[in-house]
């Protein structure tokens, strides 16, 4: 089975609910639900969390070395930036081979 690198864009901003992704939902932050499922799937070899430049995000300590956090530029953290641009930024930051 082929394992993949997953890029997970994570924004702290929200127009209606400030810091929505960091609110608790059934005992853990909202962003952790899909992140945990990705890691449980055994399909993900490496997971790159792309976070807002002004976000002082700290990865919870229980995540293993398959998860890395990168900070994207402020202009890439706005709500109207297409996810494809965020993914391209992450690919260039970590030097992934796209071929």
């Amino acid at each position: 089975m082929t394992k993949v690198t997953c890029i997970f864009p994570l924004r702290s901003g929200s127009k209606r609910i400030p810091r929505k992704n960091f609110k608790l939902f059934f005992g853990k932050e909202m962003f952790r639900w899909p992140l945990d499922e990705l890691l449980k799937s055994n399909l993900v070899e490496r997971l790159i969390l792309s976070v807002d430049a002004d976000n002082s995000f700290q990865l919870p300590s229980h995540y293993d070395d398959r998860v890395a956090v990168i900070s994207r530029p402020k202009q890439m953290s706005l709500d109207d930036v297409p996810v494809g641009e965020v993914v391209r930024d992450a690919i260039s930051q970590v030097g992934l081979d796209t071929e």
Side-chain angles (χ1 to χ4, degrees):
M1 179 179 298
T2 302
K3 293 199 175 198
V4 298
T5 295
C6 179
I7 298 172
F8 190 105
L10 179 60
R11 278 186 59 231
S12 59
S14 173
K15 288 182 178 178
R16 292 178 286 167
I17 304 171
R19 298 192 51 80
K20 170 181 64 181
N21 289 317
F22 301 95
K23 301 279 187 197
L24 290 181
F25 181 74
F26 287 95
K28 62 183 176 181
E29 296 93 346
M30 293 281 290
F31 81 91
R32 287 183 44 202
W33 288 97
L35 185 115
D36 290 347
E37 291 304 311
L38 284 167
L39 293 172
K40 281 193 314 192
S41 75
N42 291 321
L43 297 173
V44 176
E45 180 175 47
R46 183 171 153 194
L47 196 144
I48 310 297
L49 272 172
S50 173
V51 300
D52 307 61
D54 58 353
N55 184 348
S56 58
F57 179 78
Q58 293 292 318
L59 186 66
S61 61
H62 73 277
Y63 287 104
D64 59 30
D65 59 356
R66 292 184 298 162
V67 182
V69 177
I70 61 170
S71 180
R72 65 180 174 272
K74 190 171 187 110
Q75 69 270 19
M76 299 292 289
S77 300
L78 304 173
D79 63 349
D80 61 346
V81 175
V83 72
E85 288 185 32
V86 174
V87 169
R88 279 189 288 284
D89 173 70
I91 288 170
S92 70
Q93 280 197 55
V94 297
L96 288 175
D97 182 12
T98 57
E99 295 182 29

